[in-house]
Amino acid sequence: MNADAGPPEIPAAGGPSPVAPSPPAPSPPGGSPPAASPPAASPPAPSPPGGSPPAASPPAASPPATVGRNWFAAAVARGFALFFGGFTLVNVFGAFRAPAFDENLWWVDLRFAPRVVGAVLLLALAVALLLYALLPRMPDWRRWPTVGLCLAFGAVTAWNGARFYTSWRAGDIDPGVPLPLSFVFCGVFLFIAWAALRSPPQRRRRRAAAAVLVVTTTLCVLVFPIAQVLFFGMTDYRRPGDVVVVFGAQVHDDGRPSTSLSDRMDTAVELYKAGLVERVFVSGGVGDSGYNEALVMNDMAVDAGVPAEDVVVDSNGVSTDATVTDTVPFFGDKGWRRILAVSQFYHLPRIKLAYQRAGWDVLTVPAGTSAPISQTPRLVAREIPAFWFYYLKAVFG
């Protein structure tokens, strides 16, 4: 029974009968008949004995709430926006300080566009991403340019990914991972564009959203160097060049080269014998064993069939920076223009950064693997702070 309806008009047992209605008064002579009374409304039908009461009307549905919906996904997107916005802005600053410097190549290649146009677009993207990350409540005049820039850079990174496959097919690269990192970045920017179209979180969700943003940004800082190690470091960019630079590694106490050093030298000798380079430049220092790595490397090259006059030795390459500093003057003096660099895959992004800082764009070649190296996970993890240290030196140094 509907709770809003009164009880049906049924007399109680033994009670008085209802009063009969009075007959209508007669019409006066010559007068108009009285107006008919409207028919009385029928009382609601009584519920049958033992039956169910009439079903109540369902309450009106409230409109769906949009504010706060997908707040977790939006917070993750803002974390991505904070990382890429800050990273891009720092790179634009670095390019302003050094015109030949372009660290944005670590995530997007805009070299098809005029340099000024590319710089303006990157700056606009960086500002839009940072504003979205920090001030997610956007009026339309901010929302639509932010979404448009994210979609545009998503399209550019997709195009970069397509070029990865054309380069692979042409034999210019030999990737260790068959998926370009550009496609990952494309997905990130499409995700940010999707999230920017949604409403920001409710006030009661702000602290949780801020925590998710911070965690996402921190994970980006940790994962980005590892992604570069796995995607860039494991890609072989060998092409005909003038010289290959081989970075030193440990020599054991009995004078035997470590597995890492043997693999590096084997790869360098392979490049020389294939006719891809004319010189082998070995660089290393004196390690804990007391042996000079560069001299051991020189002997290895000569024993493998490289003429002694085609081997250049740097005995002061005690670190990555030292090797870069020692080798760069030779490039200009000898007229060498295309440089190949060989080391383990996890080391190559840092080598690339060091040479970029010195004004050289080298082609990296990961050393072959003759046997598993048990320390590899630790060495990869070590590259996370090392990557950012070299990156910041390249930007501000």
Side-chain angles (χ1 to χ4, degrees), residues 250-272:
Q250 182 186 19
V251 177
H252 295 302
D253 293 339
D254 57 2
R256 291 181 301 104
S258 61
T259 302
S260 295
L261 187 58
S262 295
D263 290 343
R264 296 179 190 188
M265 288 305 302
D266 288 346
T267 302
V269 171
E270 176 188 340
L271 293 172
Y272 179 86

Side-chain angles (χ1 to χ4, degrees), residues 9-34:
E9 299 293 335
I10 300 177
S17 300
V19 179
S22 302
S27 300
S32 302

Side-chain angles (χ1 to χ4, degrees), residues 367-381:
T369 304
S370 60
I373 300 175
S374 60
Q375 300 93 338
T376 297
R378 178 180 61 82
L379 296 171
V380 170

